[in-house]
């Protein structure tokens, strides 16, 4: 069965005014901190502040934002034309990596700043970097600014979530037929990803082809579901197995996730207990995610239903993580992160139960924090309560 329905109309790709707003906020913070400018070397920060989508590899790429003046892109020579196709006029190149002078040290000197902030610097270059400026400060100001998304960013995350949902819908619709024909985890996942990827390319490829956009995922069945990061394999599911499908999608560089656990065949009483605990955990996270609440407190509240069901020993990870330019980014709904929740933050909600040698359970919603409640751009779980995720073989 092929699922044809397109998902959602996407907003247009980000344009220069968005990136200029991003840089204006950074300039204001730089000025308050007494810095002359900021050199960004992290791939996510460069994309966030400039819109220059590129392949991260050993050749460093940097973006410099001065307190006053125009931004600069530093790229290897082989990226020259790609960088010049963007909106930043000042593109400077180095020949190759590693070079006689390391590219990062060259960038630091080329910025021309006395008091320079950087988002990261390799430890082995730190002493040499400090020698090139009067003052060098390593800062996380860009990551902190990325915590709260602008409306344009939220719109892209919403659309991406719909394609992750589409992948799950295809898996639900056709897994029974695939399994009856002797199909494996790889074939189940491949069918879902192909269906959603084709729809994503058809609907938005022309506008977003120059950005990062894709659908990826994993499928684990039976006892292998107890491995949260296990590899999808050529395993044929058996009747009675659970099947975890975790799907990620990105559009315009912005990520969202959807995920579900399915039961192949008639669920047992124990499986129903796990499904009920997962749903209660999901609901508790949504209820707890409110502006002002520390991220760690959201995690504690969300995990309580799993522990109350006597499954506390089966917890292996936090309830969620931030999403945006990167699929996993701060802040974290996890022990140790006291960041107060704010409207405009985007998180995953992924309760998990993992019982080695038996089975695994995980569901995933994308959550957008609002002033008065949580928006769920991932709709698959809401539209398919666990009774509808039982697949008859």
């Amino acid at each position: 069965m092929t699922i044809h329905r397109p998902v959602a109309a996407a907003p247009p790709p980000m344009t220069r005014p968005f990136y200029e707003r991003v840089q204006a906020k950074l300039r204001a913070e730089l000025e308050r901190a007494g810095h002359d400018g900021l050199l960004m070397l992290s791939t996510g920060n460069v994309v966030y502040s400039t819109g220059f989508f590129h392949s991260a590899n050993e050749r460093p790429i940097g973006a410099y934002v001065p307190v006053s003046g125009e931004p600069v892109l530093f790229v290897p020579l082989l990226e020259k034309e790609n960088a010049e196709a963007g909106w930043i006029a000042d593109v400077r190149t180095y020949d190759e990596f590693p070079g006689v002078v390391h590219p990062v040290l060259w960038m630091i000197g080329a910025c021309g700043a006395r008091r320079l902030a950087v988002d990261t610097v390799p430890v082995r270059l730190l002493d040499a970097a400090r020698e090139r400026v009067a003052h060098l400060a390593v800062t996380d100001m860009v990551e902190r600014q990325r915590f709260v998304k602008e409306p344009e960013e939220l719109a892209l995350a919403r659309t991406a979530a719909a394609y992750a949902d589409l992948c799950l819908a295809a898996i639900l619709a056709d897994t029974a037929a695939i399994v009856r024909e002797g199909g494996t985890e790889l074939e189940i996942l491949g069918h879902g990803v192909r269906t959603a990827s084709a729809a994503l390319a058809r609907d938005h490829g022309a506008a977003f082809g120059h950005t990062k956009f894709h659908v990826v995922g994993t499928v684990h069945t039976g006892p292998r579901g107890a491995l949260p990061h296990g590899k999808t394999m050529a395993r044929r599911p058996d009747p009675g197995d659970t099947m975890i499908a975790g799907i990620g999608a990105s559009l315009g560089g912005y990520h969202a996730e959807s995920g579900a656990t399915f039961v192949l065949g008639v669920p047992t009483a124990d499986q129903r207990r796990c499904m009920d605990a997962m749903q209660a955990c999901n609901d508790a996270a949504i209820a707890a995610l409110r502006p002002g609440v520390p991220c760690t407190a959201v995690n504690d509240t969300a995990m309580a239903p799993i522990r109350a069901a006597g499954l506390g020993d089966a917890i292996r990870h936090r309830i969620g993580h931030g999403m945006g330019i990167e699929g996993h980014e701060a802040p974290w709904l996890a022990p140790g992160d006291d960041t107060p929740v704010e409207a405009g933050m985007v998180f995953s909600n992924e309760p998990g139960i993992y019982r080695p040698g038996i089975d695994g359970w995980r569901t995933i919603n994308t959550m957008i924090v609002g002033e008065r409640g949580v928006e769920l751009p991932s709709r698959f779980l809401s539209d398919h309560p666990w009774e509808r995720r039982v697949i008859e073989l």
Side-chain angles (χ1 to χ4, degrees):
M1 175 183 176
T2 301
I3 297 179
H4 294 285
R5 85 180 158 90
V7 188
M14 303 294 194
T15 57
R16 178 173 179 169
F18 171 82
Y19 299 111
E20 288 178 334
R21 293 203 313 272
V22 166
Q23 293 188 12
K25 290 181 181 179
L26 293 174
R27 285 190 173 96
E29 185 162 351
L30 288 166
E31 189 169 24
R32 285 193 296 270
H35 303 309
D36 297 328
L38 168 68
L39 175 63
M40 290 166 280
L41 299 169
S42 162
T43 299
N45 290 344
V46 171
V47 171
Y48 167 71
S49 62
T50 69
F52 179 45
F53 289 86
H54 56 280
S55 298
N57 54 47
E58 74 280 4
R59 300 178 179 92
I61 286 177
Y64 177 60
V65 175
V67 169
S68 61
E70 296 302 313
V72 182
L73 268 178
F74 297 113
V75 302
L77 185 59
L78 58 79
E79 292 279 11
K80 179 177 184 291
E81 288 76 15
N82 291 331
E84 289 176 341
W87 66 276
I88 293 181
D90 191 349
V91 175
R92 305 182 196 179
T93 64
Y94 62 90
D95 290 337
E96 189 47 287
F97 177 87
V100 177
V101 176
H102 194 285
V104 169
L105 298 179
W106 167 73
M107 292 179 201
I108 289 173
C111 289
R114 293 187 70 256
R115 299 183 62 83
L116 180 67
V118 295
D119 62 351
T120 185
V121 63
V123 172
R124 65 186 182 86
L125 299 177
L126 187 55
D127 289 342
R130 285 173 171 156
E131 291 173 358
R132 281 165 166 75
V133 293
H135 178 74
L136 186 74
V138 181
T139 177
D140 65 350
M141 69 170 65
V142 189
E143 286 82 358
R144 286 186 282 105
Q145 184 169 308
R146 285 167 52 186
F147 285 2
V148 176
K149 274 58 179 178
E150 297 288 334
E152 297 97 323
E153 298 174 284
L154 296 177
L156 291 173
R158 289 186 186 99
T159 307
Y163 287 90
D165 282 352
L166 182 60
C167 183
L168 291 175
I171 287 172
L172 175 61
D174 295 331
T175 288
I178 293 171
V179 172
R180 290 189 198 109
E181 294 171 4
T184 68
E185 294 174 354
L186 288 169
E187 289 165 303
I188 293 167
L189 176 63
H191 169 69
V193 168
R194 285 192 301 273
T195 299
S197 296
L200 181 62
R202 176 197 64 209
D203 298 340
H204 307 300
F208 288 91
H210 68 290
T211 71
K212 182 179 180 182
F213 78 115
H214 62 222
V215 179
V216 297
T218 59
V219 165
H220 303 130
T221 60
R224 297 195 62 259
L227 307 175
H229 283 169
K231 183 178 180 181
T232 305
M233 299 178 67
R235 179 186 188 273
R236 294 181 177 179
D238 294 320
D241 280 352
T242 58
M243 180 175 74
I244 299 174
I247 310 300
S250 66
L251 180 67
Y254 283 82
H255 292 76
E257 295 180 0
S258 298
T261 299
F262 305 87
V263 175
L264 306 181
V266 179
T268 65
D270 178 60
Q271 289 174 331
R272 291 174 180 273
R273 175 176 73 114
C274 291
M275 280 286 204
D276 288 340
M278 295 285 289
Q279 184 62 54
C281 185
N282 173 80
D283 294 347
I286 294 170
L289 194 66
R290 293 290 184 272
V293 178
C295 287
T296 186
V298 176
N299 180 77
D300 292 344
T301 300
M303 291 302 185
I306 292 181
R307 294 190 171 95
L311 295 164
D313 290 343
I315 296 173
R316 289 200 171 189
H317 57 70
R318 64 198 170 211
I319 191 62
H321 54 79
M323 290 185 287
I325 284 289
E326 296 173 280
H328 285 216
E329 61 181 43
W332 317 98
L333 298 179
D337 192 334
D338 293 321
T339 304
V341 172
E342 294 185 55
M345 288 182 172
V346 180
F347 293 102
S348 69
N349 179 5
E350 43 190 303
I353 296 171
Y354 305 98
R355 304 188 290 185
I358 303 173
D359 57 19
W361 306 78
R362 184 171 65 251
T363 59
I364 311 174
N365 268 318
T366 297
M367 304 184 293
I368 297 176
V369 183
E371 293 290 352
R372 296 180 177 83
V374 173
E375 174 190 348
L376 298 178
S378 302
R379 300 304 308 163
F380 184 84
L381 292 177
S382 297
D383 295 341
H384 300 84
W386 74 256
E387 294 89 350
R388 294 184 58 189
R389 286 183 267 126
V390 175
I391 299 175
E392 297 181 5
L393 300 180

